[in-house]
Amino acid sequence: MGVTTMSARKTGRGGIVAALVVFVAVFASACASWGAVHVDADGLPGTYRDGKTGGEIQLLANGRFSATGISKSDAKMGRVGTASVDFGGTWSATPSNFVYLESDDTGGGRDMGDIQLWTASPNEVFLQPDVDGPVTLKLVRVTTR
């Protein structure tokens, strides 16, 4: 009887472990689908606006972008502040799930590195100036091309 009980315990533990592995796999895949996703570069041109601040980023089909009404703190530009700035440059989609925004050197003392614009869908992007930092703006498409 001791051998049967031992086999049942081993089988029971194995079943719990298998169920736990399946749960973790399903949970991880669901979490991955909530975040940034790859979006075809041809579908990205348009104007994206943050509903709270009114800041906009316009991606043009020719690879240029313009940003208006973006606060210095949201763009992590030079001295952090709430004053909004306008800037532009070029954008390029990556094979992954983000777009590089490379600002033009305006000579205006804007200490600005490249910014990443993460794609959540063809209609929603997230501004993340520091790859290791938080998302600073959620922008929703208001126009196309």
Side-chain angles (χ1 to χ4, degrees):
M1 188 162 174
V3 173
T4 308
T5 305
M6 181 78 117
S7 297
R9 283 185 184 157
K10 285 183 180 177
T11 304
R13 286 183 186 151
I16 291 171
V17 170
L20 183 60
V21 168
V22 169
F23 173 77
V24 168
V26 170
F27 182 75
S29 68
C31 288
S33 69
W34 292 336
V37 296
H38 174 72
V39 176
D40 182 25
D42 292 337
L44 288 171
T47 301
Y48 299 83
R49 181 179 301 138
D50 179 72
K52 292 179 184 176
T53 67
E56 289 186 354
I57 294 179
Q58 183 179 31
L59 302 177
L60 303 174
N62 67 0
R64 299 285 303 163
F65 82 90
S66 65
T68 56
I70 306 293
S71 77
K72 287 184 177 184
S73 61
D74 286 335
K76 302 287 189 217
M77 296 173 67
R79 296 182 186 151
V80 175
T82 57
S84 65
V85 293
D86 300 339
F87 57 96
T90 58
W91 70 272
S92 57
T94 68
S96 185
N97 54 356
F98 60 91
V99 173
Y100 276 120
L101 300 180
E102 300 175 66
S103 67
D104 292 336
D105 180 14
T106 61
R110 295 182 181 153
D111 180 19
M112 181 177 181
D114 298 342
I115 294 177
Q116 294 181 4
L117 195 62
W118 291 86
T119 56
S121 74
N123 295 315
E124 188 174 64
V125 296
F126 299 100
L127 185 65
Q128 186 173 12
D130 178 359
V131 69
D132 295 323
V135 167
T136 58
L137 288 178
K138 175 182 170 183
L139 301 115
V140 177
R141 183 190 299 262
V142 293
T143 65
T144 55
R145 298 185 195 242

